[in-house]
Structure formats: C-alpha cells, structure tokens
Amino acid sequence: RFEQGDKGAALAYARKSHGILRSVGAKISSSREGLEFSVDRLQGEMSDLRRSMRGAEKRLAVLDAAELAAAAVAKGGVKFVVKALDGKELEYVRGVATEIVAKGGTVALLGGAECLVLARSADVNVDLRPIGKEALAKIGGKGGGPANFVQGGGSGDVKGALALAETLVIAALPK
C-alpha cells in the first residue's frame, strides 16, 4: 500500500513486479500475456505427475511387501518382517505393512523416515497398542491405532525401536 504522493515507491514496486513477471515468463517460455495460461498448464501437469507418482509408489509398495514377506523369519509360529525402510514416508510404510499382513500368520514391524508401523494379521492374537506406545516412546514419538495396526511418528533410533517392538511382540505371543 502506498501513501498518496509516494510515486517513487509505487514506480519501484511496479518495476520490480514487471521484472519478476519477465523472469518467470522466460523460465516457462511464455509471454506476459500467456503467463496465466502457462501457470495453469504447469499446475495441471504437476497434478498429473503427483497422481502418477502415487500410483507408482503403491505398485512399488506391493512389490516391496512381497519381497519382504518372502524373506520373513518364523518365530513362535508367526512370520516376522522387521525392516527400516530408510527415507520412506508414513503413507508408503503403512501400505507395505498392510500388504504384508494381508496374508495370515504375519507380523510386520516397519520403520521409515521418523515413523513406525506395527501391524499383524487378523489371526495373530497380540494387542499391538501397548507395544506401539513403548516403541514410539523410544523415538520420542506418539501414535496409536487399533490392536492390529499401530502407527506413529517421532525422531530417534527407528531401528532400536523396531528391535524393541520385536522383542515385545515375541514375549506377548500366546504360548
């Protein structure tokens, strides 16, 4: 906002705005008149790319889950998948865990970028809520969920939290 008579500031502002428009137009190969259309087109392309990336990530989660499930280690009559998926976000880790526990007799204890997901198949009788609370506390985090699927975030030793969760799940398995 400019005070009346402050033409110098208004002119400087207009010149700066014009310079920004020219610079943006040059970066996206557009004239000033076509700038709005070009920005709309780029936003649409970005939306399409994001949608495509989400689809690719879902397919990758299914493949990762199959690979991890194939390497599951049996302990106490239950197959365990314990893995830190370094750099992966909660949504991805949750998808992998869901795929793994869709098959019976399985527990998935997975970590990602500052997150944990503890999941079990419907036929594994362990309440993961207290285990999740303790494991999440180890990374200074919070979370929750139903007895068969606990998730949360925090920052800390994700691998240590997964090891703790594994020990607690094994101890909680019915004898």
Side-chain angles (χ1 to χ4, degrees):
R1 183 171 173 168
F2 303 103
E3 297 297 322
Q4 190 168 1
D6 195 3
K7 293 177 186 171
L11 185 58
Y13 180 80
R15 284 185 177 141
K16 184 175 182 180
S17 295
H18 178 72
I20 291 170
L21 286 174
R22 286 183 61 193
S23 175
V24 169
K27 288 178 182 175
I28 62 173
S29 302
S30 177
S31 66
R32 189 178 69 196
E33 293 77 24
L35 199 54
E36 187 175 358
F37 172 78
S38 293
V39 168
D40 288 344
R41 178 183 51 81
L42 287 172
Q43 285 179 325
E45 288 174 8
M46 284 296 295
S47 178
D48 292 345
L49 287 171
R50 281 190 198 103
R51 192 174 14 264
S52 179
M53 283 292 294
R54 279 193 301 272
E57 280 227 326
K58 286 180 183 177
R59 289 189 300 278
L60 181 59
V62 170
L63 293 173
D64 278 349
E67 185 178 295
L68 291 169
V73 177
K75 297 178 183 179
V78 175
K79 293 179 280 181
F80 276 79
V81 175
V82 182
K83 181 78 173 170
L85 303 171
D86 297 326
K88 296 296 184 182
E89 298 297 323
L90 179 60
E91 183 178 351
Y92 181 83
V93 177
R94 188 174 35 229
V96 172
T98 299
E99 288 292 324
I100 290 171
V101 300
K103 293 153 184 72
T106 308
V107 170
L109 308 173
L110 305 176
E114 301 183 343
C115 67
L116 290 178
V117 174
L118 312 180
R120 65 164 171 82
S121 301
D123 61 343
V124 176
N125 190 21
V126 174
D127 185 350
L128 294 175
R129 291 174 294 198
I131 296 167
K133 186 174 183 176
E134 201 167 330
L136 285 162
K138 185 162 180 71
I139 63 169
K142 294 181 181 179
N148 67 322
F149 201 97
V150 175
Q151 61 185 355
S155 58
D157 180 15
V158 170
K159 290 180 182 176
L162 291 172
L164 172 63
E166 181 179 17
T167 300
L168 295 172
V169 170
I170 291 169
L173 288 172
K175 306 296 184 232

